[in-house]
Amino acid sequence: AQSVTQLDSQVPVFEEAPVELRCNYSSSVSVYLFWYVQYPNQGLQLLLKYLSGSTLVKGINGFEAEFNKSQTSFHLRKPSVHISDTAEYFCAVTDWRAGGFKTIFGAGTRLFVKA
Amino acid sequence: KAGVTQTPRYLIKTRGQQVTLSCSPISGHRSVSWYQQTPGQGLQFLFEYFSETQRNKGNFPGRFSGRQFSNSRSEMNVSTLELGDSALYLCASSPRGDGNQPQHFGDGTRLSIL
């Protein structure tokens, strides 16, 4: 069965420090991988996506993620965070199921950037 | 291009009532998905519509239903509301619902059941 595990529910970090938000998934078929960000009282916005090709993908706001097929991971990183990066981050996996594509979201990681 | 629009933004209902939520996708997008977001369960997939047909469904009771109109606008209905239905309901659209297309989300409807 398809599943997504975000290993940290909360990550506190100081401003200008690096951060890594971890995501592991399980699926028996090829997958597409996404990271989304949600600010308070808003919907989700796409940060970046992995479809195929280079395993290192760059997204908006200085974020990047690396797809590791052998470890079934898709960790999100940023070398230097800002206060404005405080938000909830969701890892999502899409694969083909009977009837169509289905997307499963992780439980989310709340990033809290401190001054 | 206008984003995904969900109405209303906030809704308060009592147990046993029914509610209809509306979603207008980005122009040209034909796939609309609905999600329920709660602190305990996270984001859970409700259903996906494409060209007025329900193409995929999550594990929710039959009290949760939806439909899509010819202009791709979608509505979600919940009947016989329960306290546990209190949540943020998010709608997302994409051009065709292909797996390699990211979803574009609205800001959600926050439903509170008293």
Side-chain angles (χ1 to χ4, degrees):
Chain A
Q2 183 192 39
S3 68
V4 179
T5 303
Q6 291 186 240
L7 293 133
D8 307 291
S9 59
Q10 295 186 70
V11 174
V13 64
F14 285 103
E15 194 175 18
E16 297 183 9
V19 71
E20 178 180 79
L21 306 183
R22 298 178 293 168
C23 173
N24 285 95
Y25 69 92
S26 68
S27 175
S28 58
V29 299
S30 296
V31 298
Y32 302 115
L33 299 158
F34 305 85
W35 275 99
Y36 291 86
V37 60
Q38 185 178 33
Y39 299 102
N41 298 315
Q42 293 184 26
L44 281 67
Q45 301 173 35
L46 178 71
L47 271 179
L48 48 78
K49 61 186 177 185
Y50 172 79
L51 306 180
S52 64
S54 173
T55 56
L56 182 64
V57 291
K58 294 189 183 298
I60 61 171
N61 301 341
F63 284 94
E64 63 181 33
E66 184 152 22
F67 169 58
N68 188 318
K69 188 174 182 179
S70 62
Q71 297 187 8
T72 59
S73 67
F74 191 53
H75 301 332
L76 180 70
R77 302 186 184 101
K78 186 169 182 178
S80 174
V81 294
H82 303 291
I83 298 286
S84 59
D85 292 324
T86 295
E88 188 147 23
Y89 292 79
F90 293 91
C91 179
V93 174
T94 299
D95 65 14
W96 177 263
R97 300 281 147 176
F101 287 99
K102 190 172 181 183
T103 298
I104 299 293
F105 286 83
T109 297
R110 191 169 295 276
L111 175 64
F112 179 58
V113 181
K114 301 177 284 186
Chain B
K1 209 179 216 185
V4 177
T5 304
Q6 290 188 247
T7 56
R9 284 297 310 276
Y10 302 93
L11 209 46
I12 300 175
K13 292 286 188 179
T14 56
R15 280 182 298 173
Q17 288 187 308
Q18 68 95 27
V19 67
T20 300
L21 312 182
S22 179
C23 172
S24 294
I26 290 173
S27 177
H29 285 194
R30 293 164 63 194
S31 169
V32 174
S33 296
W34 288 89
Y35 295 86
Q36 181 194 65
Q37 186 178 23
T38 58
Q41 300 295 320
L43 270 156
Q44 296 204 79
F45 172 74
L46 280 154
F47 27 66
E48 185 230 356
Y49 284 87
F50 179 79
S51 292
E52 301 178 65
T53 300
Q54 187 181 88
R55 197 161 60 171
N56 237 323
K57 191 178 190 307
N59 296 324
F60 278 82
R63 300 186 297 107
F64 291 82
S65 63
R67 59 178 177 169
Q68 187 180 33
F69 302 95
S70 58
N71 62 357
S72 294
R73 190 177 72 83
S74 178
E75 287 182 347
M76 190 192 96
N77 185 274
V78 188
S79 62
T80 321
L81 286 164
E82 300 177 0
L83 291 177
D85 297 333
S86 293
L88 180 67
Y89 290 87
L90 292 166
C91 164
S93 75
S94 68
R96 296 178 304 279
D98 292 345
N100 59 357
Q101 297 168 345
Q103 296 179 69
H104 299 260
F105 285 81
D107 286 339
T109 294
R110 187 165 295 280
L111 175 62
S112 299
I113 311 302
L114 303 179

